Amino acid sequence: MALLRMIPRWATGEMSQPKAHGAEIILWRRYFDMLEQENEDRIEMIIESFAEDEEESKRLKENARMGREYLNEHYRNQRNGSTDSQYPTVARESPFARQQQERQQLQQQRRNEEQERQRIHSPNLDIPIVGVGGSGETSYVTRAQ
């Protein structure tokens, strides 16, 4: 008896078939189309994320390669004692080294000023002449001011 209750009444002929049968089919089609579209969207999203991950990994590999290249060039130059490099480097000087360099520049500037003063105030007008008269000695001729 319980089995008979499970069979719909319209199948036994007691009731007529439901009238909205075509509408149900349309709704189910829409439902399955929506599921299919969602699945396609998910697949596209997954493919795009893989493509983005691939591009990111290429960028990371390129950055790592350039970093290794930079370090190799830097250590190669340090080992060879050369400061020429195609990559810019930042000089890291201690304050003591900077002060020493400034002192050396100041001393050089003072020497240059002193030499210039000597040239202006007491010029050397002697002109060296080597080997006058076959003796091989150096003699000087003073030119007039």
Side-chain angles (χ1 to χ4, degrees):
M1 190 74 160
L3 187 59
L4 291 177
R5 287 188 186 149
M6 294 174 66
I7 300 174
R9 289 183 184 181
W10 60 266
T12 60
E14 293 177 17
M15 290 183 65
S16 64
Q17 285 188 339
K19 295 182 180 177
H21 186 61
E24 271 187 53
I25 293 174
I26 292 172
L27 287 175
W28 280 109
R29 280 186 187 161
R30 281 188 187 167
Y31 173 75
F32 287 122
D33 287 342
M34 287 173 40
L35 281 180
E36 186 178 335
Q37 184 63 34
E38 285 179 9
N39 287 338
E40 287 176 3
D41 291 344
R42 284 185 193 146
I43 291 171
E44 286 177 10
M45 192 169 63
I46 291 171
I47 290 172
E48 287 174 3
S49 68
F50 279 133
E52 289 172 0
D53 290 345
E54 186 176 325
E55 290 173 6
E56 182 68 22
S57 68
K58 285 181 183 178
R59 281 194 297 265
L60 289 174
K61 286 178 184 177
E62 181 67 17
N63 288 343
R65 184 190 61 78
M66 289 177 66
R68 280 192 306 274
E69 231 176 77
Y70 172 79
L71 286 175
N72 288 339
E73 180 76 16
H74 174 73
Y75 289 129
R76 192 177 304 121
N77 287 337
Q78 275 189 340
R79 192 177 28 193
N80 296 336
S82 171
T83 57
D84 296 337
S85 174
Q86 68 182 25
Y87 303 107
T89 57
V90 178
R92 301 198 192 294
E93 295 180 347
S94 67
F96 176 74
R98 196 175 316 120
Q99 288 175 353
Q100 186 177 8
Q101 185 180 11
E102 288 173 0
R103 254 187 263 124
Q104 289 174 349
Q105 288 175 349
L106 184 61
Q107 289 173 353
Q108 182 64 35
Q109 185 180 2
R110 287 181 183 161
R111 274 187 246 131
N112 291 344
E113 289 174 356
E114 181 62 32
Q115 288 174 356
E116 186 177 346
R117 240 182 272 124
Q118 284 180 355
R119 285 188 204 116
I120 292 173
H121 296 295
S122 58
N124 182 6
L125 300 176
D126 293 338
I127 302 171
I129 299 177
V130 180
V132 176
S135 63
E137 295 179 6
T138 303
S139 61
Y140 295 92
V141 175
T142 304
R143 63 177 188 190
Q145 290 186 3

